[in-house]
Amino acid sequence: MDKHEGRDAGTIRLDDPWYDALAVGWGEGEEASPPRPAPGGSPAHGASDIYLEVQRSAAFQEVRSRYRGFVVPATAGFFLWYVAYVVAATAAPGVMARPVVGAVNVAMLAGLGQFLTTFLLTWAYARHARLRRDRAALDLRWTVFEQERDQERTRSRGAGR
């Protein structure tokens, strides 16, 4: 059976403007050329201008703010939890060696807690990104894609004259 046939074919749709798009300018052997003048004689904005414009936009700043609002406290909390584990293991070996159940001691539970915390933090990050940033980031990608497409159309019309 062909992988494109069947019940699941076409059920997943990724609304990403760059999905399956060629990486223009990457390894195609063409040297980067300076921006061509736009019709009317004024120089066209380069791709870097588009990215700088998006970076300065309120929507981009909101996405970055949401990212930092999660990552900074989560990183600080996880780092403090890790340092507390290491300090407790070196400064209070008697407490860490205290048995909890059978051969399982406090140090083993805390060490397993490190793994559990890692998985929980990964889940929380993915959930936060999906609920609070992905849609806005995708909208920004569409904005950049459309601006680049419009810029390329303007260039091709100017070159065709």
Side-chain angles (χ1 to χ4, degrees), residues 15-46:
D15 289 344
D16 188 338
W18 290 327
Y19 188 77
D20 284 340
L22 295 176
V24 177
W26 289 27
E28 285 128 13
E30 294 180 19
E31 295 297 322
S33 59
R36 297 181 205 143
S42 64
H45 292 287

Side-chain angles (χ1 to χ4, degrees), residues 71-125:
V71 169
V72 171
T75 301
F78 186 78
F79 183 72
L80 287 174
W81 161 230
Y82 175 75
V83 169
Y85 172 74
V86 172
V87 168
T90 56
V95 172
M96 298 296 274
R98 184 172 296 150
V100 177
V101 175
V104 178
N105 59 21
V106 173
M108 291 174 110
L109 289 179
L112 291 173
Q114 292 283 319
F115 285 102
L116 179 63
T117 305
T118 301
F119 291 116
L120 288 174
L121 191 57
T122 302
W123 170 82
Y125 175 81

Side-chain angles (χ1 to χ4, degrees), residues 4-88:
H4 297 288
E5 295 175 359
R7 186 176 119 217
D8 295 333
T11 57
I12 297 174
R13 182 168 182 264
L14 183 61
D15 289 344
D16 188 338
W18 290 327
Y19 188 77
D20 284 340
L22 295 176
V24 177
W26 289 27
E28 285 128 13
E30 294 180 19
E31 295 297 322
S33 59
R36 297 181 205 143
S42 64
H45 292 287
S48 62
D49 293 334
I50 293 171
Y51 288 100
L52 288 173
E53 179 183 332
V54 169
Q55 184 179 11
R56 291 181 189 116
S57 72
F60 181 82
Q61 295 306 320
E62 179 66 23
V63 169
R64 294 299 297 170
S65 174
R66 289 178 184 177
Y67 171 77
R68 286 187 205 107
F70 179 85
V71 169
V72 171
T75 301
F78 186 78
F79 183 72
L80 287 174
W81 161 230
Y82 175 75
V83 169
Y85 172 74
V86 172
V87 168

